[in-house]
Amino acid sequence: DTEVTQTPKHLVMGMTNKKSLKCEQHMGHRAMYWYKQKAKKPPELMFVYSYEKLSINESVPSRFSPECPNSSLLNLHLHALQPEDSALYLCASSQVGVRLGSYEQYFGPGTRLTVT
Amino acid sequence: AQTVTQSQPEMSVQEAETVTLSCTYDTSESNYYLFWYKQPPSRQMILVIRQEAYKQQNATENRFSVNFQKAAKSFSLKISDSQLGDTAMYFCAFRPNFGNEKLTFGTGTRLTIIP
């Protein structure tokens, strides 16, 4: 099983709403990532969890709150978002180890978020 | 800090032809990996090919091969016998072998295969 799943596929939310994005993998990967991708742009890294601990936060606004409840699951909690936060949110996972650079990141299909 | 540059925002080629996508990078690291990722329209991103900087031999995966020029910091992707399913956004990416888990992407090349 080399699949990363993300739910929901699409999400429309108002600026006062609270919602969550979910990501799951069962490949035994111990690193999980959240990316934000605008149209025709590369993914921008937001957060990295390594062994269920937050290892990288790319200065993301606090209205985005990540959570890694266990090694298979990654959530992104959203609150008081702005219209400019509308984007495709990608989750990815990879192995962690000595040869870190070689490990492929497996991407999910993404959640397309629209903030109204 | 690393930078990855893809100078061709868009390319198109006839089906069955060969196309080469360019990528250059800048780094002070000596031990690193380079990747080409493919993102088809409305589909998820997948790894096409990877290259370890210490290996002089260019990586190949079926119709996909790279031309890795370490001294020039160049890492181009060649797609032979192009197929309609190759239509996608292609991202070149860099990752050091040691350090944190961050993958640095280029700006992407949108490739269209024309029937």
Side-chain angles (χ1 to χ4, degrees):
Chain A
D1 181 8
T2 58
E3 190 177 21
V4 175
T5 59
Q6 290 187 245
T7 54
K9 288 186 179 179
H10 301 275
L11 179 62
V12 179
M13 61 185 289
M15 289 189 284
T16 58
N17 291 158
K18 284 186 180 181
K19 296 285 185 183
S20 296
L21 310 185
K22 179 180 171 181
C23 172
E24 201 160 2
Q25 58 88 14
H26 296 287
M27 294 178 277
H29 292 167
R30 301 304 295 274
M32 296 186 77
Y33 311 76
W34 279 117
Y35 289 89
K36 173 183 177 181
Q37 187 179 26
K38 291 280 202 179
K40 299 185 180 181
K41 298 290 186 183
E44 298 172 34
L45 184 66
M46 299 174 72
F47 304 103
V48 180
Y49 274 83
S50 181
Y51 296 100
E52 296 89 69
K53 291 190 187 325
L54 185 65
S55 62
I56 297 178
N57 177 344
E58 291 285 287
S59 303
V60 178
S62 60
R63 57 186 185 268
F64 295 90
S65 175
E67 179 195 20
C68 190
N70 59 57
S71 59
S72 301
L73 191 56
L74 184 67
N75 298 319
L76 186 63
H77 303 297
L78 314 172
H79 173 56
L81 294 192
Q82 304 297 310
E84 59 264 29
D85 297 322
S86 298
L88 182 68
Y89 288 84
L90 297 171
C91 174
S93 71
S94 75
Q95 293 175 288
V96 183
V98 174
R99 295 176 67 80
L100 177 66
S102 69
Y103 298 135
E104 174 183 353
Q105 288 190 19
Y106 291 81
F107 286 83
T111 293
R112 188 159 300 281
L113 174 67
T114 302
V115 181
T116 61
Chain B
Q2 289 77 225
T3 59
V4 179
T5 302
Q6 293 179 249
S7 58
Q8 305 150 313
E10 294 190 24
M11 296 185 72
S12 60
V13 66
Q14 292 289 137
E15 192 176 5
E17 290 187 348
T18 294
V19 61
T20 299
L21 309 183
S22 301
C23 173
T24 58
Y25 60 95
D26 192 21
T27 184
S28 58
E29 301 278 348
S30 59
N31 192 0
Y32 52 87
Y33 279 80
L34 295 161
F35 305 85
W36 279 99
Y37 277 88
K38 167 186 177 181
Q39 189 176 33
S42 301
R43 292 179 61 189
Q44 63 203 83
M45 191 172 304
I46 58 171
L47 178 68
V48 174
I49 198 165
R50 87 187 83 189
Q51 174 81 40
E52 182 176 7
Y54 266 79
K55 289 188 177 177
Q56 293 189 342
Q57 187 173 5
N58 289 325
T60 62
E61 288 286 343
N62 301 313
R63 298 182 296 107
F64 299 87
S65 62
V66 299
N67 183 4
F68 174 50
Q69 302 289 328
K70 189 173 183 179
K73 294 182 179 173
S74 171
F75 181 61
S76 60
L77 174 70
K78 185 171 87 170
I79 306 174
S80 303
D81 185 28
S82 56
Q83 301 174 0
L84 297 179
D86 296 331
T87 292
M89 195 76 170
Y90 287 80
F91 293 102
C92 179
F94 172 101
R95 192 183 205 182
N97 203 30
F98 302 102
N100 66 40
E101 301 88 342
K102 187 172 180 178
L103 191 62
T104 302
F105 286 96
T107 51
T109 297
R110 180 170 299 277
L111 176 65
T112 302
I113 309 300
I114 303 166

